[in-house]
Amino acid sequence: KQEVTQIPAALSVPEGENLVLNCSFTDSAIYNLQWFRQDPGKGLTSLLLIQSSQREQTSGRLNASLDKSSGRSTLYIAASQPGDSATYLCAACDLNEKLTFGTGTRLTIIP
Amino acid sequence: DAGVIQSPRHEVTEMGQEVTLRCKPISGHDYLFWYRQTMMRGLELLIYFNNNVPIDDSGMPEDRFSAKMPNASFSTLKIQPSEPRDSAVYFCASSLTFAEQYFGPGTRLTVT
Protein backbone atom coordinates (compact mmCIF):
# COMPACT_ATOMS: atom_id res chain seq x y z
CA LYS A 1 0.00 0.00 0.00
CA GLN A 2 1.35 3.39 -1.01
CA GLU A 3 2.22 5.78 1.80
CA VAL A 4 3.02 9.42 1.19
CA THR A 5 4.76 11.58 3.78
CA GLN A 6 5.35 15.31 3.85
CA ILE A 7 7.81 16.89 6.24
CA PRO A 8 7.65 19.39 7.81
CA ALA A 9 3.97 19.65 8.66
CA ALA A 10 4.31 23.41 8.94
CA LEU A 11 6.85 25.96 7.71
CA SER A 12 7.21 29.72 8.17
CA VAL A 13 9.62 31.77 6.09
CA PRO A 14 10.15 35.50 5.50
CA GLU A 15 8.86 36.99 2.29
CA GLY A 16 11.31 36.87 -0.59
CA GLU A 17 13.10 33.72 0.45
CA ASN A 18 13.31 30.60 -1.67
CA LEU A 19 12.00 27.42 -0.08
CA VAL A 20 11.67 23.70 -0.65
CA LEU A 21 8.81 21.43 0.35
CA ASN A 22 9.46 17.71 0.61
CA CYS A 23 7.39 14.67 -0.30
CA SER A 24 8.34 11.02 0.00
CA PHE A 25 6.49 7.91 -1.16
CA THR A 26 7.04 4.22 -0.43
CA ASP A 27 6.03 2.57 -3.72
CA SER A 28 7.98 3.73 -6.77
CA ALA A 29 5.47 2.14 -9.18
CA ILE A 30 3.73 5.42 -9.86
CA TYR A 31 2.35 6.88 -13.04
CA ASN A 32 2.78 10.47 -12.00
CA LEU A 33 3.15 12.72 -9.00
CA GLN A 34 1.02 15.79 -8.47
CA TRP A 35 1.37 18.86 -6.28
CA PHE A 36 -1.72 20.71 -5.10
CA ARG A 37 -2.40 23.85 -3.15
CA GLN A 38 -5.27 24.17 -0.69
CA ASP A 39 -6.36 27.47 0.81
CA PRO A 40 -8.31 27.42 4.10
CA GLY A 41 -11.88 26.28 3.58
CA LYS A 42 -11.32 25.77 -0.13
CA GLY A 43 -10.83 22.93 -2.56
CA LEU A 44 -7.57 21.81 -4.08
CA THR A 45 -5.86 23.55 -6.96
CA SER A 46 -3.49 21.55 -9.13
CA LEU A 47 -0.06 23.17 -9.37
CA LEU A 48 2.20 20.75 -11.19
CA LEU A 49 2.09 17.20 -12.51
CA ILE A 50 5.27 15.24 -13.14
CA GLN A 51 5.04 12.11 -15.25
CA SER A 52 7.04 9.13 -14.00
CA SER A 53 9.40 9.48 -16.96
CA GLN A 54 10.17 13.11 -16.16
CA ARG A 55 12.62 14.57 -13.67
CA GLU A 56 11.05 18.00 -13.21
CA GLN A 57 8.32 20.43 -14.17
CA THR A 58 8.27 24.20 -13.94
CA SER A 59 5.47 26.73 -13.77
CA GLY A 60 6.41 30.33 -13.07
CA ARG A 61 8.11 30.51 -9.67
CA LEU A 62 7.37 26.85 -8.97
CA ASN A 63 9.61 23.92 -9.82
CA ALA A 64 8.83 20.32 -8.91
CA SER A 65 11.32 17.49 -9.13
CA LEU A 66 10.84 13.74 -9.04
CA ASP A 67 13.29 10.98 -8.12
CA LYS A 68 11.39 7.72 -8.41
CA SER A 69 14.30 5.52 -7.36
CA SER A 70 14.58 7.24 -4.00
CA GLY A 71 10.84 7.83 -3.64
CA ARG A 72 11.13 11.59 -3.34
CA SER A 73 9.71 14.73 -4.83
CA THR A 74 10.37 18.36 -3.98
CA LEU A 75 8.49 21.55 -4.69
CA TYR A 76 10.72 24.60 -4.96
CA ILE A 77 9.15 28.03 -4.59
CA ALA A 78 11.29 30.96 -5.63
CA ALA A 79 11.01 34.48 -4.23
CA SER A 80 8.15 33.62 -1.87
CA GLN A 81 5.21 36.00 -1.48
CA PRO A 82 2.51 36.30 1.20
CA GLY A 83 0.01 35.00 -1.37
CA ASP A 84 1.89 31.71 -1.39
CA SER A 85 0.65 31.01 2.13
CA ALA A 86 -1.47 27.85 1.94
CA THR A 87 -1.28 24.11 2.55
CA TYR A 88 0.65 22.21 -0.10
CA LEU A 89 -0.21 18.58 -0.77
CA CYS A 90 1.60 16.05 -2.88
CA ALA A 91 -0.13 12.98 -4.27
CA ALA A 92 1.26 9.85 -5.92
CA CYS A 93 -0.81 8.43 -8.76
CA ASP A 94 -0.63 4.66 -9.06
CA LEU A 95 -1.07 2.64 -12.21
CA ASN A 96 -4.82 2.37 -11.51
CA GLU A 97 -5.30 6.15 -11.52
CA LYS A 98 -5.66 6.30 -7.73
CA LEU A 99 -4.11 9.23 -5.91
CA THR A 100 -2.61 8.75 -2.46
CA PHE A 101 -2.18 12.08 -0.72
CA GLY A 102 0.34 13.22 1.81
CA THR A 103 -0.80 15.03 4.94
CA GLY A 104 0.42 18.36 3.61
CA THR A 105 2.77 21.15 4.61
CA ARG A 106 1.15 24.32 5.92
CA LEU A 107 3.24 27.20 4.57
CA THR A 108 3.17 30.70 6.02
CA ILE A 109 5.05 33.52 4.32
CA ILE A 110 5.83 36.32 6.76
CA PRO A 111 5.60 39.82 5.23
CA ASP B 1 -16.10 25.37 -18.42
CA ALA B 2 -17.26 26.17 -14.89
CA GLY B 3 -15.08 23.48 -13.35
CA VAL B 4 -16.31 20.71 -11.09
CA ILE B 5 -19.56 21.70 -9.42
CA GLN B 6 -20.67 20.33 -6.08
CA SER B 7 -23.85 20.86 -4.12
CA PRO B 8 -24.72 21.65 -1.48
CA ARG B 9 -21.66 23.56 -0.23
CA HIS B 10 -22.69 23.06 3.37
CA GLU B 11 -24.97 20.46 4.91
CA VAL B 12 -26.01 20.16 8.54
CA THR B 13 -28.13 17.20 9.46
CA GLU B 14 -29.10 15.10 12.44
CA MET B 15 -27.79 11.66 13.12
CA GLY B 16 -29.83 9.00 11.35
CA GLN B 17 -30.89 11.20 8.45
CA GLU B 18 -30.07 10.46 4.82
CA VAL B 19 -27.58 12.78 3.15
CA THR B 20 -27.07 13.12 -0.60
CA LEU B 21 -24.10 14.97 -2.05
CA ARG B 22 -24.02 15.90 -5.72
CA CYS B 23 -21.30 16.42 -8.28
CA LYS B 24 -21.12 17.59 -11.87
CA PRO B 25 -17.72 16.82 -13.43
CA ILE B 26 -15.98 18.81 -16.12
CA SER B 27 -17.46 17.99 -19.50
CA GLY B 28 -15.42 15.43 -21.39
CA HIS B 29 -13.61 14.06 -18.36
CA ASP B 30 -13.88 10.29 -18.19
CA TYR B 31 -12.84 9.83 -14.55
CA LEU B 32 -14.76 10.95 -11.47
CA PHE B 33 -13.48 10.62 -7.91
CA TRP B 34 -15.07 11.09 -4.48
CA TYR B 35 -12.77 12.01 -1.58
CA ARG B 36 -13.26 12.71 2.11
CA GLN B 37 -11.04 15.06 4.10
CA THR B 38 -10.78 15.11 7.88
CA MET B 39 -8.21 16.52 10.25
CA MET B 40 -7.41 13.08 11.59
CA ARG B 41 -7.10 11.12 8.35
CA GLY B 42 -6.34 13.75 5.73
CA LEU B 43 -7.65 13.28 2.21
CA GLU B 44 -8.91 9.78 1.42
CA LEU B 45 -10.24 8.35 -1.81
CA LEU B 46 -13.68 6.80 -1.31
CA ILE B 47 -14.60 5.61 -4.81
CA TYR B 48 -13.90 6.41 -8.42
CA PHE B 49 -15.67 5.91 -11.74
CA ASN B 50 -14.41 5.51 -15.28
CA ASN B 51 -16.94 6.23 -18.02
CA ASN B 52 -19.74 6.08 -15.41
CA VAL B 53 -18.70 2.64 -14.17
CA PRO B 54 -17.48 2.23 -10.56
CA ILE B 55 -13.92 0.93 -10.71
CA ASP B 56 -12.76 0.86 -7.11
CA ASP B 57 -14.94 1.38 -4.05
CA SER B 58 -12.49 -0.07 -1.54
CA GLY B 59 -12.29 3.28 0.21
CA MET B 60 -15.98 3.43 1.02
CA PRO B 61 -16.03 3.14 4.81
CA GLU B 62 -19.10 0.94 5.19
CA ASP B 63 -22.43 -0.06 3.73
CA ARG B 64 -24.00 3.20 4.83
CA PHE B 65 -22.15 4.88 1.98
CA SER B 66 -23.15 4.45 -1.65
CA ALA B 67 -22.29 6.28 -4.86
CA LYS B 68 -23.83 6.36 -8.29
CA MET B 69 -23.05 7.89 -11.64
CA PRO B 70 -26.15 7.56 -13.83
CA ASN B 71 -24.62 9.57 -16.67
CA ALA B 72 -21.42 11.33 -17.66
CA SER B 73 -22.47 14.65 -16.15
CA PHE B 74 -23.77 13.69 -12.72
CA SER B 75 -22.80 11.67 -9.66
CA THR B 76 -24.16 11.31 -6.15
CA LEU B 77 -22.69 10.16 -2.86
CA LYS B 78 -25.29 9.04 -0.36
CA ILE B 79 -24.95 8.35 3.35
CA GLN B 80 -27.82 6.52 5.00
CA PRO B 81 -28.11 6.65 7.95
CA SER B 82 -25.64 9.42 8.74
CA GLU B 83 -23.53 9.42 11.93
CA PRO B 84 -21.54 12.18 13.68
CA ARG B 85 -18.25 10.52 12.61
CA ASP B 86 -19.22 11.13 8.98
CA SER B 87 -18.67 14.86 9.54
CA ALA B 88 -16.01 15.92 7.06
CA VAL B 89 -15.46 17.80 3.83
CA TYR B 90 -16.36 15.70 0.81
CA PHE B 91 -14.65 16.52 -2.49
CA CYS B 92 -15.47 15.45 -5.98
CA ALA B 93 -12.78 15.54 -8.68
CA SER B 94 -12.63 14.70 -12.36
CA SER B 95 -9.89 14.08 -14.87
CA LEU B 96 -8.99 12.82 -18.27
CA THR B 97 -7.07 9.55 -18.40
CA PHE B 98 -3.95 9.80 -16.26
CA ALA B 99 -4.09 13.54 -16.19
CA GLU B 100 -4.27 16.06 -13.39
CA GLN B 101 -7.38 15.88 -11.28
CA TYR B 102 -9.58 18.95 -10.98
CA PHE B 103 -11.31 19.30 -7.65
CA GLY B 104 -14.65 20.84 -6.81
CA PRO B 105 -15.05 23.28 -3.90
CA GLY B 106 -16.24 20.53 -1.57
CA THR B 107 -19.29 19.93 0.61
CA ARG B 108 -18.81 20.51 4.31
CA LEU B 109 -20.99 17.96 6.12
CA THR B 110 -21.85 18.27 9.78
CA VAL B 111 -23.84 15.51 11.43
CA THR B 112 -25.12 16.36 14.91
Side-chain angles (χ1 to χ4, degrees):
Chain A
K1 180 184 174 184
Q2 178 75 272
E3 293 182 6
V4 180
T5 305
Q6 291 184 251
I7 296 174
L11 180 66
S12 294
V13 299
E15 179 179 0
E17 285 197 2
N18 304 325
L19 62 100
V20 175
L21 305 180
N22 297 298
C23 172
S24 60
F25 48 95
T26 56
D27 186 352
S28 61
I30 62 171
Y31 197 87
N32 62 51
L33 188 131
Q34 300 177 36
W35 283 92
F36 294 86
R37 167 185 174 137
Q38 186 173 28
D39 292 285
K42 305 285 187 180
L44 278 70
T45 300
S46 178
L47 297 174
L48 288 165
L49 182 151
I50 313 175
Q51 301 291 355
S52 62
S53 59
Q54 297 176 318
R55 295 301 300 265
E56 64 179 277
Q57 277 282 0
T58 298
S59 176
R61 294 182 294 108
L62 305 181
N63 176 278
S65 69
L66 174 64
D67 184 342
K68 270 181 51 176
S69 60
S70 66
R72 293 185 178 185
S73 177
T74 62
L75 179 67
Y76 174 85
I77 302 177
S80 58
Q81 303 171 359
D84 295 331
S85 297
T87 295
Y88 291 80
L89 296 142
C90 69
C93 181
D94 68 21
L95 303 183
N96 295 311
E97 288 267 10
K98 293 172 63 173
L99 284 181
T100 302
F101 282 84
T103 50
T105 294
R106 186 172 69 253
L107 176 65
T108 302
I109 305 300
I110 305 165
Chain B
D1 201 312
V4 177
I5 300 172
Q6 291 187 248
S7 64
R9 295 293 310 277
H10 302 273
E11 177 80 32
V12 180
T13 190
E14 293 184 347
M15 182 173 65
Q17 296 298 307
E18 177 179 296
V19 175
T20 299
L21 311 180
R22 297 173 177 80
C23 174
K24 176 179 170 55
I26 293 173
S27 177
H29 282 191
D30 46 10
Y31 282 86
L32 183 139
F33 306 82
W34 281 101
Y35 293 89
R36 177 172 68 176
Q37 186 176 40
T38 61
M39 288 294 292
M40 290 296 294
R41 301 173 66 91
L43 202 60
E44 303 172 286
L45 176 65
L46 300 177
I47 184 171
Y48 75 98
F49 296 82
N50 180 24
N51 292 320
N52 313 336
V53 177
I55 303 301
D56 187 340
D57 65 354
S58 59
M60 297 284 263
E62 46 198 275
D63 293 344
R64 298 183 298 105
F65 286 69
S66 63
K68 294 182 180 179
M69 193 166 185
N71 57 62
S73 59
F74 184 66
S75 176
T76 59
L77 178 67
K78 186 175 293 186
I79 309 173
Q80 166 64 19
S82 58
E83 297 183 2
R85 59 193 168 120
D86 302 331
S87 297
V89 181
Y90 291 80
F91 289 104
C92 175
S94 70
S95 72
L96 295 170
T97 302
F98 281 120
E100 59 190 301
Q101 293 187 17
Y102 291 85
F103 279 71
T107 295
R108 182 172 297 276
L109 173 65
T110 303
V111 183
T112 60

